Coordinates of all heavy atoms in Angstrom, one line a residue:
M19 N 0.8 -1.2 0.0 CA 0.0 0.0 0.0 C 0.9 1.2 0.0 O 1.9 1.3 0.7 CB -0.9 0.0 1.2 CG -1.9 1.1 1.2 SD -3.2 0.7 2.5 CE -3.3 2.4 3.2
V20 N 0.5 2.2 -0.8 CA 1.3 3.5 -0.9 C 0.8 4.4 0.2 O -0.3 4.6 0.4 CB 1.1 4.1 -2.3 CG1 1.8 5.4 -2.4 CG2 1.5 3.2 -3.4
Q21 N 1.8 5.0 0.9 CA 1.5 6.0 1.9 C 1.1 7.3 1.3 O 1.5 7.7 0.2 CB 2.7 6.2 2.8 CG 3.1 5.0 3.6 CD 4.3 5.2 4.5 OE1 5.0 6.1 4.3 NE2 4.5 4.3 5.5
A22 N 0.3 8.1 2.1 CA -0.2 9.4 1.6 C 1.0 10.3 1.3 O 1.0 11.1 0.4 CB -1.2 10.0 2.6
G23 N 2.0 10.3 2.2 CA 3.1 11.2 2.0 C 3.9 10.9 0.7 O 4.3 11.8 0.1
E24 N 4.0 9.6 0.4 CA 4.7 9.3 -0.9 C 3.9 9.8 -2.1 O 4.5 10.3 -3.0 CB 4.9 7.8 -0.9 CG 6.0 7.3 0.1 CD 6.1 5.8 0.0 OE1 5.7 5.2 -1.0 OE2 6.6 5.2 1.0
T25 N 2.6 9.6 -2.0 CA 1.8 10.1 -3.1 C 1.9 11.6 -3.3 O 2.0 12.1 -4.4 CB 0.3 9.7 -2.9 OG1 0.2 8.3 -2.7 CG2 -0.6 10.2 -4.0
S26 N 1.9 12.3 -2.2 CA 2.0 13.8 -2.2 C 3.3 14.2 -2.8 O 3.4 15.1 -3.6 CB 1.9 14.4 -0.8 OG 0.6 14.2 -0.3
I27 N 4.4 13.5 -2.5 CA 5.7 13.8 -3.0 C 5.7 13.5 -4.6 O 6.2 14.4 -5.3 CB 6.8 13.0 -2.3 CG1 7.0 13.5 -0.9 CG2 8.1 13.0 -3.1 CD1 8.0 12.7 -0.1
E28 N 5.1 12.4 -5.0 CA 5.1 12.1 -6.4 C 4.2 13.1 -7.2 O 4.6 13.5 -8.3 CB 4.6 10.7 -6.6 CG 5.6 9.6 -6.2 CD 7.0 9.8 -6.8 OE1 7.1 10.0 -8.0 OE2 8.0 9.8 -6.0
E29 N 3.1 13.5 -6.6 CA 2.2 14.5 -7.2 C 3.0 15.8 -7.4 O 2.9 16.5 -8.4 CB 0.9 14.6 -6.4 CG 0.0 13.5 -6.5 CD -1.2 13.6 -5.6 OE1 -1.3 14.6 -4.9 OE2 -2.0 12.7 -5.7
L30 N 3.7 16.2 -6.3 CA 4.4 17.4 -6.3 C 5.5 17.4 -7.4 O 5.7 18.4 -8.1 CB 5.0 17.7 -4.9 CG 5.3 19.1 -4.5 CD1 4.1 20.0 -4.7 CD2 5.6 19.1 -3.0
K31 N 6.2 16.3 -7.5 CA 7.2 16.1 -8.5 C 6.6 16.3 -9.9 O 7.2 16.9 -10.8 CB 8.0 14.8 -8.4 CG 8.9 14.7 -7.2 CD 9.6 13.4 -7.1 CE 10.6 13.4 -6.0 NZ 11.3 12.1 -5.9
G32 N 5.5 15.7 -10.1 CA 4.8 15.8 -11.4 C 4.4 17.3 -11.7 O 4.6 17.7 -12.8
Q33 N 3.9 18.0 -10.7 CA 3.6 19.4 -10.9 C 4.8 20.2 -11.2 O 4.8 21.1 -12.0 CB 2.9 19.9 -9.6 CG 1.5 19.4 -9.3 CD 1.0 19.9 -8.0 OE1 1.7 20.5 -7.2 NE2 -0.3 19.7 -7.8
I34 N 5.9 19.9 -10.5 CA 7.2 20.6 -10.8 C 7.7 20.4 -12.2 O 8.1 21.3 -12.9 CB 8.2 20.2 -9.7 CG1 7.8 20.8 -8.3 CG2 9.6 20.7 -10.1 CD1 8.7 20.3 -7.2
R35 N 7.6 19.1 -12.7 CA 8.0 18.8 -14.0 C 7.2 19.6 -15.0 O 7.8 20.2 -16.0 CB 7.9 17.3 -14.3 CG 9.1 16.5 -13.8 CD 9.0 15.1 -14.4 NE 7.9 14.3 -14.0 CZ 7.8 13.7 -12.8 NH1 8.8 13.7 -12.0 NH2 6.7 13.0 -12.5
K36 N 5.9 19.6 -14.9 CA 5.0 20.4 -15.8 C 5.3 21.9 -15.8 O 5.4 22.5 -16.8 CB 3.5 20.1 -15.5 CG 3.1 18.7 -15.8 CD 1.6 18.6 -15.4 CE 1.2 17.1 -15.6 NZ -0.2 16.9 -15.1
L37 N 5.4 22.4 -14.6 CA 5.7 23.8 -14.4 C 7.0 24.2 -14.9 O 7.2 25.3 -15.5 CB 5.5 24.2 -13.0 CG 5.2 25.7 -12.7 CD1 4.0 26.2 -13.5 CD2 5.0 26.0 -11.2
N38 N 8.0 23.3 -14.7 CA 9.4 23.6 -15.2 C 9.4 23.7 -16.7 O 10.1 24.6 -17.2 CB 10.3 22.4 -14.7 CG 11.7 22.9 -14.4 OD1 11.9 24.1 -14.3 ND2 12.6 22.0 -14.2
S39 N 8.6 22.9 -17.4 CA 8.5 22.9 -18.8 C 7.9 24.2 -19.3 O 8.4 24.9 -20.2 CB 7.7 21.7 -19.3 OG 7.5 21.8 -20.7
K40 N 6.8 24.6 -18.6 CA 6.1 25.9 -18.9 C 7.0 27.1 -18.6 O 7.1 28.0 -19.4 CB 4.8 26.0 -18.1 CG 3.9 27.1 -18.5 CD 2.6 27.0 -17.8 CE 1.7 28.1 -18.2 NZ 0.4 28.1 -17.5
A41 N 7.8 27.0 -17.5 CA 8.7 28.1 -17.2 C 9.8 28.3 -18.2 O 10.1 29.4 -18.6 CB 9.3 27.8 -15.8
G42 N 10.3 27.2 -18.7 CA 11.3 27.2 -19.7 C 10.8 27.9 -21.0 O 11.5 28.7 -21.6
Q43 N 9.6 27.6 -21.3 CA 9.0 28.2 -22.5 C 8.8 29.7 -22.3 O 9.0 30.5 -23.2 CB 7.6 27.5 -22.9 CG 7.0 28.1 -24.1 CD 7.9 27.9 -25.4 OE1 8.3 26.8 -25.6 NE2 8.1 29.0 -26.1
M44 N 8.3 30.1 -21.1 CA 8.1 31.5 -20.8 C 9.4 32.2 -20.8 O 9.5 33.4 -21.3 CB 7.4 31.6 -19.4 CG 6.0 31.1 -19.3 SD 4.8 32.0 -20.3 CE 5.0 33.7 -19.6
K45 N 10.5 31.6 -20.4 CA 11.8 32.2 -20.4 C 12.2 32.5 -21.8 O 12.7 33.6 -22.1 CB 12.8 31.4 -19.6 CG 14.2 32.0 -19.6 CD 15.1 31.1 -18.7 CE 15.5 29.8 -19.3 NZ 16.6 29.1 -18.6
M46 N 12.0 31.5 -22.7 CA 12.4 31.7 -24.1 C 11.5 32.8 -24.7 O 12.0 33.6 -25.5 CB 12.2 30.4 -24.8 CG 13.3 29.4 -24.5 SD 13.4 27.9 -25.5 CE 11.8 27.1 -25.2
D47 N 10.2 32.8 -24.4 CA 9.4 33.9 -25.0 C 9.8 35.2 -24.5 O 9.9 36.2 -25.3 CB 7.9 33.7 -24.5 CG 7.3 32.4 -25.1 OD1 7.8 31.9 -26.1 OD2 6.2 32.0 -24.6
L48 N 10.2 35.4 -23.3 CA 10.7 36.7 -22.8 C 12.0 37.0 -23.4 O 12.2 38.2 -23.8 CB 10.9 36.6 -21.2 CG 11.3 37.9 -20.5 CD1 10.3 39.0 -20.8 CD2 11.5 37.6 -19.0
H49 N 12.9 36.1 -23.6 CA 14.1 36.3 -24.3 C 13.9 36.8 -25.7 O 14.5 37.7 -26.2 CB 15.0 35.0 -24.3 CG 16.3 35.2 -25.0 ND1 16.5 34.8 -26.3 CD2 17.5 35.6 -24.5 CE1 17.7 35.0 -26.6 NE2 18.4 35.5 -25.6
D50 N 13.0 36.1 -26.4 CA 12.7 36.5 -27.8 C 12.1 37.9 -27.9 O 12.5 38.6 -28.8 CB 11.7 35.5 -28.5 CG 12.3 34.1 -28.7 OD1 13.6 34.0 -28.6 OD2 11.6 33.1 -28.9
L51 N 11.3 38.2 -27.0 CA 10.7 39.5 -26.9 C 11.8 40.6 -26.7 O 11.8 41.6 -27.3 CB 9.6 39.6 -25.8 CG 8.8 40.9 -25.7 CD1 8.1 41.2 -27.0 CD2 7.9 40.9 -24.5
A52 N 12.7 40.3 -25.8 CA 13.7 41.2 -25.4 C 14.7 41.4 -26.6 O 15.1 42.6 -26.9 CB 14.5 40.7 -24.2
E53 N 14.9 40.4 -27.4 CA 15.8 40.5 -28.5 C 15.2 41.4 -29.6 O 15.9 42.0 -30.4 CB 16.1 39.1 -29.1 CG 17.2 38.4 -28.4 CD 17.5 37.1 -29.1 OE1 16.7 36.5 -29.9 OE2 18.7 36.6 -28.9
G54 N 13.8 41.4 -29.7 CA 13.2 42.1 -30.7 C 12.8 43.6 -30.3 O 12.2 44.3 -31.1
L55 N 13.3 44.0 -29.1 CA 13.0 45.4 -28.7 C 13.6 46.4 -29.7 O 14.7 46.1 -30.2 CB 13.5 45.6 -27.3 CG 12.7 44.9 -26.2 CD1 13.4 45.1 -24.9 CD2 11.3 45.4 -26.1
P56 N 13.0 47.5 -30.0 CA 11.9 48.1 -29.3 C 10.5 47.6 -29.9 O 9.5 48.0 -29.4 CB 12.0 49.6 -29.5 CG 12.7 49.7 -30.8 CD 13.6 48.4 -30.9
T57 N 10.5 46.7 -30.9 CA 9.3 46.2 -31.4 C 8.5 45.4 -30.3 O 9.2 44.7 -29.5 CB 9.5 45.2 -32.6 OG1 10.3 45.9 -33.5 CG2 8.3 44.7 -33.2
D58 N 7.3 45.6 -30.2 CA 6.4 44.9 -29.2 C 6.8 45.2 -27.7 O 6.5 44.4 -26.8 CB 6.4 43.4 -29.4 CG 5.8 43.0 -30.7 OD1 4.9 43.7 -31.2 OD2 6.2 42.0 -31.3
Y59 N 7.4 46.4 -27.5 CA 7.8 46.7 -26.1 C 6.6 46.8 -25.2 O 6.7 46.6 -24.0 CB 8.6 48.0 -26.1 CG 7.7 49.3 -26.3 CD1 7.1 49.9 -25.2 CD2 7.4 49.7 -27.5 CE1 6.3 51.0 -25.3 CE2 6.6 50.8 -27.7 CZ 6.0 51.5 -26.6 OH 5.2 52.5 -26.8
K60 N 5.4 47.0 -25.7 CA 4.2 47.1 -24.9 C 3.9 45.8 -24.2 O 3.2 45.8 -23.2 CB 3.0 47.7 -25.6 CG 3.2 49.1 -26.0 CD 2.0 49.7 -26.8 CE 2.3 51.1 -27.2 NZ 1.2 51.7 -27.9
Q61 N 4.3 44.7 -24.8 CA 4.0 43.4 -24.2 C 5.1 43.0 -23.2 O 4.8 42.0 -22.4 CB 4.1 42.3 -25.3 CG 3.0 42.5 -26.4 CD 3.2 41.4 -27.5 OE1 4.2 40.7 -27.5 NE2 2.3 41.4 -28.5
L62 N 6.1 43.7 -23.1 CA 7.2 43.3 -22.2 C 6.8 43.1 -20.7 O 7.1 42.1 -20.1 CB 8.4 44.4 -22.3 CG 9.6 44.0 -21.5 CD1 10.3 42.7 -22.0 CD2 10.6 45.2 -21.7
M63 N 6.1 44.1 -20.2 CA 5.7 44.0 -18.8 C 4.8 42.8 -18.5 O 4.9 42.1 -17.5 CB 5.1 45.3 -18.3 CG 6.0 46.5 -18.3 SD 7.5 46.2 -17.2 CE 6.8 46.2 -15.6
D64 N 3.8 42.5 -19.4 CA 2.9 41.4 -19.2 C 3.7 40.1 -19.3 O 3.5 39.2 -18.5 CB 1.8 41.4 -20.3 CG 0.9 42.6 -20.1 OD1 0.7 43.1 -19.0 OD2 0.2 43.0 -21.1
V65 N 4.6 39.9 -20.3 CA 5.3 38.7 -20.4 C 6.3 38.5 -19.2 O 6.4 37.4 -18.7 CB 6.1 38.7 -21.8 CG1 7.0 37.4 -21.9 CG2 5.1 38.7 -22.9
A66 N 6.9 39.6 -18.8 CA 7.8 39.5 -17.7 C 7.1 39.2 -16.4 O 7.5 38.3 -15.6 CB 8.6 40.9 -17.5
A67 N 5.9 39.7 -16.2 CA 5.1 39.4 -15.0 C 4.7 38.0 -15.0 O 4.7 37.3 -14.0 CB 3.9 40.4 -14.9
A68 N 4.2 37.5 -16.2 CA 3.8 36.1 -16.2 C 5.0 35.1 -16.0 O 4.9 34.1 -15.3 CB 3.2 35.8 -17.6
T69 N 6.2 35.5 -16.5 CA 7.4 34.7 -16.3 C 7.8 34.7 -14.9 O 8.1 33.6 -14.3 CB 8.5 35.2 -17.2 OG1 8.1 35.2 -18.6 CG2 9.8 34.3 -17.1
Y70 N 7.7 35.8 -14.2 CA 8.0 36.0 -12.8 C 7.1 35.1 -12.0 O 7.5 34.3 -11.1 CB 7.9 37.4 -12.4 CG 8.0 37.6 -10.9 CD1 9.3 37.7 -10.3 CD2 6.9 37.6 -10.1 CE1 9.4 37.8 -8.9 CE2 7.0 37.7 -8.7 CZ 8.2 37.8 -8.1 OH 8.3 37.9 -6.7
E71 N 5.8 35.1 -12.3 CA 4.8 34.4 -11.5 C 5.0 32.8 -11.7 O 5.0 32.1 -10.7 CB 3.4 34.7 -12.0 CG 2.3 34.1 -11.2 CD 2.3 34.4 -9.7 OE1 2.8 35.5 -9.3 OE2 1.9 33.5 -8.9
I72 N 5.4 32.4 -12.8 CA 5.7 31.0 -13.1 C 6.9 30.5 -12.2 O 6.8 29.5 -11.5 CB 6.0 30.7 -14.5 CG1 4.7 30.9 -15.4 CG2 6.6 29.3 -14.8 CD1 3.9 29.7 -15.6
Y73 N 7.9 31.3 -12.2 CA 9.1 31.0 -11.5 C 8.9 31.1 -10.0 O 9.4 30.3 -9.2 CB 10.3 31.8 -11.9 CG 11.0 31.2 -13.1 CD1 10.6 31.6 -14.4 CD2 11.9 30.2 -13.0 CE1 11.2 31.1 -15.5 CE2 12.5 29.6 -14.1 CZ 12.1 30.1 -15.4 OH 12.7 29.5 -16.5
R74 N 8.1 32.0 -9.5 CA 7.7 32.1 -8.1 C 7.0 30.9 -7.7 O 7.3 30.3 -6.6 CB 6.9 33.4 -7.9 CG 6.6 33.7 -6.4 CD 5.4 34.6 -6.2 NE 4.2 34.1 -6.8 CZ 3.4 33.1 -6.2 NH1 3.8 32.5 -5.2 NH2 2.3 32.8 -6.8
E75 N 6.0 30.5 -8.5 CA 5.2 29.3 -8.1 C 6.1 28.0 -8.1 O 6.0 27.2 -7.3 CB 4.1 29.1 -9.1 CG 3.1 28.0 -8.8 CD 1.9 27.9 -9.7 OE1 1.7 28.9 -10.5 OE2 1.3 26.9 -9.8
L76 N 7.0 28.0 -9.1 CA 8.0 26.8 -9.2 C 8.8 26.8 -7.9 O 9.1 25.7 -7.4 CB 8.8 27.0 -10.4 CG 9.7 25.8 -10.8 CD1 9.0 24.5 -10.9 CD2 10.5 26.1 -12.1
D77 N 9.3 27.9 -7.5 CA 10.1 28.0 -6.3 C 9.3 27.5 -5.1 O 9.9 26.7 -4.2 CB 10.6 29.4 -6.1 CG 11.6 29.5 -4.9 OD1 12.6 28.7 -4.8 OD2 11.3 30.4 -4.0
E78 N 8.1 27.9 -5.0 CA 7.2 27.5 -3.8 C 7.1 26.0 -3.8 O 7.2 25.3 -2.8 CB 5.9 28.1 -3.9 CG 5.9 29.6 -3.4 CD 4.5 30.2 -3.5 OE1 3.5 29.5 -3.6 OE2 4.4 31.4 -3.3
L79 N 6.8 25.4 -5.0 CA 6.6 23.9 -5.1 C 7.9 23.2 -4.7 O 7.8 22.2 -4.1 CB 6.2 23.5 -6.5 CG 4.7 23.9 -6.9 CD1 4.5 23.6 -8.4 CD2 3.7 23.3 -6.0
K80 N 9.0 23.7 -5.2 CA 10.3 23.1 -4.8 C 10.6 23.1 -3.3 O 11.1 22.2 -2.8 CB 11.4 23.7 -5.6 CG 11.5 23.3 -7.1 CD 12.6 24.0 -7.8 CE 12.7 23.6 -9.3 NZ 13.8 24.2 -10.0
Q81 N 10.2 24.2 -2.7 CA 10.3 24.3 -1.2 C 9.4 23.4 -0.5 O 9.8 22.7 0.5 CB 10.1 25.8 -0.8 CG 11.2 26.8 -1.2 CD 10.9 28.2 -0.8 OE1 10.1 28.4 0.2 NE2 11.4 29.1 -1.5
Q82 N 8.2 23.2 -1.0 CA 7.3 22.3 -0.4 C 7.8 20.8 -0.5 O 7.7 20.0 0.4 CB 5.9 22.3 -1.1 CG 5.1 23.6 -0.8 CD 3.8 23.6 -1.6 OE1 3.3 22.6 -2.1 NE2 3.2 24.8 -1.7
L83 N 8.3 20.5 -1.7 CA 8.9 19.2 -2.0 C 10.1 18.9 -1.0 O 10.1 17.8 -0.4 CB 9.4 19.1 -3.4 CG 10.0 17.7 -3.8 CD1 9.1 16.6 -3.6 CD2 10.5 17.8 -5.2
K84 N 10.9 19.9 -0.8 CA 12.1 19.7 0.1 C 11.6 19.5 1.5 O 12.1 18.6 2.2 CB 12.9 21.0 0.0 CG 14.3 20.9 0.7 CD 15.1 22.1 0.4 CE 16.5 21.9 1.0 NZ 17.3 23.1 0.8
K85 N 10.6 20.2 1.9 CA 10.0 20.0 3.3 C 9.5 18.6 3.4 O 9.7 17.9 4.5 CB 9.0 21.0 3.6 CG 9.5 22.4 3.9 CD 8.4 23.4 4.2 CE 8.9 24.8 4.3 NZ 7.8 25.8 4.5
L86 N 8.7 18.1 2.4 CA 8.1 16.8 2.5 C 9.2 15.7 2.5 O 9.1 14.8 3.3 CB 7.2 16.6 1.3 CG 5.8 17.2 1.4 CD1 5.1 17.0 0.1 CD2 5.0 16.7 2.6
E87 N 10.2 15.9 1.7 CA 11.3 14.9 1.6 C 12.1 14.9 2.9 O 12.6 13.8 3.4 CB 12.2 15.2 0.5 CG 11.5 14.9 -0.9 CD 12.4 15.2 -2.1 OE1 13.3 16.1 -2.0 OE2 12.2 14.6 -3.1
N88 N 12.3 16.1 3.5 CA 13.1 16.1 4.8 C 12.3 15.6 6.0 O 12.8 15.2 7.0 CB 13.5 17.6 5.1 CG 14.6 18.0 4.1 OD1 15.3 17.2 3.6 ND2 14.8 19.3 4.0
A89 N 10.9 15.6 5.8 CA 10.1 15.1 6.9 C 10.0 13.6 7.0 O 9.6 13.0 8.0 CB 8.7 15.7 6.7
K90 N 10.5 12.9 6.0 CA 10.5 11.4 6.0 C 11.4 10.9 7.0 O 12.4 11.3 7.4 CB 11.0 10.9 4.6 CG 9.9 11.0 3.6 CD 10.5 10.3 2.3 CE 9.3 9.7 1.6 NZ 9.8 8.9 0.4

């Protein structure tokens, strides 16, 4: 039987993998936008804010995972 703690860790790892992929894409989008400046400069703040939010959430999930793994 699988313990609830192990399931939570595996679920968290899955969320981190998905978000990590999305974060990488957002980083590339931001990079592409920055390379094209000053064209589309009006999108810069929105794309930067979305990228920041993804990485903030990713950091939170990684911290949660570390706490769960250390609690074992």
Side-chain angles (χ1 to χ4, degrees):
M19 188 167 137
V20 177
Q21 293 179 343
E24 290 177 20
T25 302
S26 294
I27 288 174
E28 290 308 311
E29 288 174 359
L30 208 48
K31 285 181 179 180
Q33 290 176 348
I34 288 170
R35 276 192 297 275
K36 288 179 186 176
L37 200 57
N38 215 9
S39 176
K40 190 173 181 180
Q43 182 60 50
M44 292 295 298
K45 181 174 71 171
M46 288 189 295
D47 291 347
L48 183 59
H49 179 265
D50 291 345
L51 183 62
E53 280 188 336
L55 288 173
T57 306
D58 296 329
Y59 75 92
K60 291 181 181 180
Q61 296 176 357
L62 184 59
M63 293 303 289
D64 292 336
V65 174
T69 304
Y70 172 85
E71 185 58 31
I72 293 270
Y73 277 94
R74 185 197 59 75
E75 188 176 340
L76 186 58
D77 184 53
E78 283 182 9
L79 290 176
K80 287 180 178 181
Q81 288 178 24
Q82 288 176 17
L83 178 61
K84 190 174 184 178
K85 286 179 186 177
L86 284 175
E87 289 177 335
N88 288 338
K90 279 187 152 184

